[in-house]
Amino acid sequence: MRWKIRQFIFDEKEQALHEKNADGTEKTVQLEPLLAEVLTYFCLNPDKTISRDELVDAVWEARAITDNAVNRVIAKLRKQLGDDPKSPQFIATYPKKGYRFIAPVSELAAESVVETTAADGEMQAKPHSSKPMMVFALFIIAAFAVMYFQQPTKPEPTVKGTEFLTRGGGQEFQPSVSPDGNQLLYTTFEDNFLQLYLKNLTTQETVKLSEAGAHHGPADWSDSGKYIAYLYTDQESCELRRLTLDGMKITVQETIHYCPKNSYGKVIFTHDDNKLLYAEASEVGPPYSIYELTLPAGTSRRVSQPELILGGNTQFDLHPTEDKLLISSPDAEQWLAFFTLDLKRDKLTQMFRLNEYMCCAIWNLRGDRVIVIGEHPAYDLISFDLEGGDRQIIHSASHRISTPIRDDHTGGYVYVGGIYNRDIISLERADDSQELVAASSVDDRLVTLAPNGKMIAYMSDKSGQDEVWLQSLEDHQERKLTSGSSHSHYYDLKWSTDSKRLVGVTINELHVVDAETGERQKLDIPQTEIRGVSWFDANTLSYSVAVKGGWQVHYYDLRTNTVSIENRSWAYIRYASDMKNTLWFSETGELFSGEGREPTGLTLSNPIVGRKFAVEKQGDQLFYWQFENGKWAFYEHAVGGEKELLLQADGMPAFAVADDKIYLSTLKSHSADIYRTVK
């Protein structure tokens, strides 16, 4: 069915919005499946107040969803229609009542047959005319030849729904479905260790395949379903192990490869039960390389692969029927590039790259397209053809999506779906008491304190997109500062010394944000990995980029848009409004402070975590995160004196220190279950 909605033509079958521009050209926007379903329901019920419950029953078909999920879909649909919720022309909101589609809507009749004239190339409706049979025959032959030789890929089927494969009380990760579709391998954290479980999807029987005191996983099934391979790691060793199963019981367990200590790579079987692929790093950490292991000889080889950037090559997937790998790997500009590797010929070919923050590419079920998860916060499964075109959103969820795999038996995709709920708290330095500062039902993170002490900024996706929010510490009023923009997932956020601007650090860019208007300026610097950003003064940014043999500090002058480079004495410098609190980091992790670069006596193996500083100085005290025994520990350490443990966390959140308080985000809840899509 096709609808005329103001300046748009909405094609329900194509799930697309067509809009003609003033110059006669046409703009087409491909809608996500949920958006198209909501718009269809609005078109069928124009100028009628539709309650939230009615909309959920009609579109989500009684699936359990949150209010935030409905809000997010409505917000996305408004954006595609160019609708202002304050002065709506399409979707009006009636508090406590629902929504009403107020735009004029009319159903369009089926299109007439159209042909292109040779004279002017314009599309004109013409009646059918008789053609000579030879011309008709030649036309059929030509059309058949095009169909035969071009072999276009079939469109990816849109997912109709999902089902739970796990509903545990913890967090389930790293799924792998048996070839017959009856059993599921997955991992979960218990007592700071990754534990491996096996679940019968018919009887729901679940057994633990691992022992305490070590990490077990990720794991993978062999094509025959006879074997399981998984990674075993503890403080002293790293092994690839293979299990032979009889039903739900282990009959044989053997070590098939010893890896360097602290190497936490991926492992998958090829289509041969005696060949595996795994990612391995040296004992000093990333980058990871891909290797092929052949049994029973136990010989391995490093396969051809993309250049090692950042963490190296940890994301790869085996073609469903061929001995061919799909490798997704960051390039020098940090964008994700996609490669195929012919394992028999050891030939690597680049397919395409995406200038977007996407992850975890796999082959689709037919092996003729690529499936990835969408940009942060990732709620979509997206399909591309093998040249990076024909983008199709095949599934939109009300939770975040990660780690997709194929379930070749059922013809679905299995993934981890989760909801993060982090809040911003303040921790009193005098008595360690906590106070809630900013809370929502979603992810509030990257808190940073303005130097004037009047405002905090943080990232939150409570509007449906990852945006910068501000909160006054005087009256606790908050407002959303930015509006949706591509590639705006920030790893770090920092106030300028005059509290008038913020800098956001993306995967490969720096964005300066006006704290009054929310306008963003992308700095004119090469796209590369950027770490350790701080403000030298109100108009100059300091940041570090990788150079041969380490890291080097750069400066960006916002007045002249020019870059200057610090000497190689320091890997990172964390400038502070008060120069006494400025920190200097050597390549070996030694820490110095103040204008005179006085030694602090502290050496940190990880002064930078997640591209942001893990340490800050306030007066005579150092505050820092350190990873210890599977947990992140937050310390207050007197310079030259004793340290005190303030709290522990599963991850290292950003933090900001004031005279009397410490602001940081804390994990309130995190659900992670395993889902399977239903056709």
Side-chain angles (χ1 to χ4, degrees), residues 108-121:
L108 296 178
E111 290 183 295
S112 303
V113 177
V114 293
E115 294 181 0
T116 304
T117 65
D120 56 14

Side-chain angles (χ1 to χ4, degrees), residues 573-634:
I573 305 174
R574 192 190 199 285
Y575 285 101
S577 300
D578 185 343
M579 195 63 183
K580 294 178 181 178
N581 293 326
T582 292
L583 295 172
W584 310 74
F585 303 84
S586 71
E587 288 282 4
T588 58
E590 295 173 285
L591 183 58
F592 303 80
S593 68
E595 197 165 5
R597 283 86 155 172
E598 298 295 331
T600 64
L602 184 65
T603 298
L604 295 177
S605 58
N606 294 308
I608 301 289
V609 177
R611 307 193 183 211
K612 57 184 175 289
F613 283 108
V615 58
E616 182 174 339
K617 184 173 180 287
Q618 188 70 245
D620 294 328
Q621 303 295 115
L622 291 165
F623 299 86
Y624 60 91
W625 287 97
Q626 194 81 353
F627 190 69
E628 298 176 348
N629 301 320
K631 285 277 189 179
W632 284 96
F634 188 54

Side-chain angles (χ1 to χ4, degrees), residues 4-149:
K4 170 72 173 164
I5 310 170
R6 293 193 184 277
Q7 73 271 29
F8 296 103
I9 301 296
F10 169 48
D11 191 311
E12 179 186 350
K13 183 178 180 181
E14 293 180 359
Q15 297 184 336
L17 275 177
H18 304 280
E19 180 182 14
K20 279 203 171 182
N21 299 318
D23 60 1
T25 60
E26 186 177 274
K27 174 184 176 183
T28 299
V29 175
Q30 187 70 41
L31 295 179
E32 300 173 18
L34 274 176
L35 271 61
E37 290 184 46
V38 170
L39 185 54
T40 298
Y41 196 73
F42 280 148
C43 290
L44 291 170
N45 298 276
D47 206 28
K48 169 191 171 185
T49 301
I50 300 169
S51 71
R52 183 182 293 263
D53 289 342
E54 179 184 346
L55 190 62
V56 169
D57 288 342
V59 175
W60 281 268
E61 298 178 349
R63 281 175 279 163
I65 63 167
T66 63
D67 287 346
N68 190 55
V70 178
N71 295 342
R72 187 166 55 250
V73 169
I74 295 295
K76 284 184 177 182
L77 184 55
R78 279 187 170 129
K79 182 179 179 181
Q80 299 292 8
L81 293 167
D83 199 20
D84 182 357
K86 296 180 180 178
S87 181
Q89 299 297 311
F90 292 87
I91 305 171
T93 301
Y94 294 85
K96 298 183 180 180
K97 292 184 179 179
Y99 305 99
R100 178 177 290 179
F101 199 67
I102 58 176
V105 179
S106 58
E107 184 181 347
L108 296 178
E111 290 183 295
S112 303
V113 177
V114 293
E115 294 181 0
T116 304
T117 65
D120 56 14
E122 293 180 355
M123 301 298 290
Q124 298 179 352
K126 291 186 176 181
H128 286 292
S129 59
S130 60
K131 302 281 185 179
M133 288 301 295
M134 183 175 292
V135 174
F136 179 74
L138 289 173
F139 172 78
I140 293 297
I141 293 170
F144 177 78
V146 169
M147 291 174 61
Y148 181 82
F149 289 109

Side-chain angles (χ1 to χ4, degrees), residues 298 386 443 638:
L386 299 185
D443 196 13

Side-chain angles (χ1 to χ4, degrees), residues 168-204:
Q171 300 165 23
E172 289 81 48
F173 303 100
Q174 299 173 326
S176 180
V177 181
S178 62
D180 62 8
N182 291 330
Q183 293 175 303
L184 172 73
L185 287 169
Y186 65 91
T187 59
T188 185
F189 277 104
E190 295 176 7
D191 299 324
N192 299 327
F193 288 101
L194 201 63
Q195 300 297 292
L196 182 62
Y197 281 84
L198 175 65
K199 182 175 183 177
N200 186 303
L201 296 176
T202 302
T203 66
Q204 303 300 301

